[in-house]
Amino acid sequence: MASIYDFTLPDAQGNEVALSDYKGKVLLIVNTATRCGLTPQYEELQSLYAQYAPQGLEILDFPSNQFREQAPESSEEIAQVCQMKFGTKFKIFGKIDVNGAHASPLYTFLKAQQPEDSGGQKFKDFLLKLASLGEKREGSDIKWNFTKFLVNRDGEVVKRFAPSVSPAELADDIEALL
């Protein structure tokens, strides 16, 4: 794939969504989980969305059950939980793998464009501890839930943020692209 706009993925209800529908928008793409210690980030994601969607921000949520099985629900159940508990209004896609042999081609593309996380040193230290428990991630692998990719209006993946970087901390980067 040459562009982020070449991908089509199912949403939480199973409807195919072409990312080309988001041309001209700033995108924040996030892999999420409903039972993770970072799940409260949904509130900040919704706040960002409420503040910046009128200016052209779209948040694309890709649940993944790859990190200690912290998203065990069906895609539809995840969407319901997020809408009811966190008031999310942004697009929630179907569950995907972000690493390994069955990784979504979208995430293979994103990782190739931005192989390293920015920020989140405390979380990196935490991941080193997990590595000793058999949870080692290598190279450009997504390290945990709530890794965030920022895409400009031209479809270029411009930055990747560590899971522990809160959505509120992304406001300046988002504003610069809007």
Side-chain angles (χ1 to χ4, degrees):
M1 298 274 172
S3 165
I4 195 156
Y5 301 129
D6 294 336
F7 295 94
T8 298
L9 297 114
D11 67 12
Q13 291 72 39
N15 303 309
E16 293 294 316
V17 177
L19 295 192
S20 60
D21 292 349
Y22 297 101
K23 279 186 179 176
K25 301 280 190 176
V26 171
L27 304 178
L28 183 61
I29 300 174
V30 187
N31 65 292
T32 61
T34 51
R35 298 185 186 189
C36 174
L38 299 175
T39 300
Q41 286 191 18
Y42 267 119
E43 292 173 5
E44 287 184 32
L45 287 168
Q46 179 54 39
S47 292
L48 279 179
Y49 186 69
Q51 182 174 358
Y52 295 113
Q55 298 168 48
L57 174 68
E58 290 292 337
I59 295 175
L60 308 182
D61 175 355
F62 290 91
S64 180
N65 197 35
Q66 281 194 287
F67 303 99
R68 300 216 170 183
E69 300 180 356
Q70 294 180 340
E73 305 90 350
S74 72
S75 297
E76 285 185 338
E77 289 169 331
I78 289 169
Q80 290 172 352
V81 166
C82 293
Q83 290 161 358
M84 293 177 72
K85 187 171 182 178
F86 301 106
T88 58
K89 305 280 188 221
F90 48 82
K91 178 60 91 178
I92 298 176
F93 286 81
K95 266 198 315 196
I96 62 168
D97 282 354
V98 296
N99 293 327
H102 301 290
S104 164
L106 171 63
Y107 267 78
T108 300
F109 174 81
L110 291 169
K111 293 183 294 186
Q113 300 302 304
Q114 290 292 325
E116 295 292 325
D117 290 347
S118 296
Q121 186 57 48
K122 286 180 186 175
F123 199 73
K124 289 175 187 172
D125 294 341
F126 166 73
L127 290 173
L128 288 173
K129 290 178 186 172
L130 277 182
S132 67
L133 302 174
E135 292 283 336
K136 187 170 172 83
R137 307 283 178 219
E138 296 181 0
S140 65
D141 279 356
I142 301 298
K143 308 302 187 273
W144 202 256
N145 305 307
F146 291 89
T147 297
K148 302 154 198 76
F149 289 90
L150 191 57
V151 179
N152 70 17
R153 290 183 186 270
D154 297 322
E156 299 166 334
V157 186
V158 297
K159 209 159 189 183
R160 172 177 167 171
F161 298 93
S164 59
V165 175
S166 75
E169 293 176 75
L170 308 181
D172 289 343
D173 291 289
I174 290 168
E175 286 178 13
L177 297 178
L178 292 172

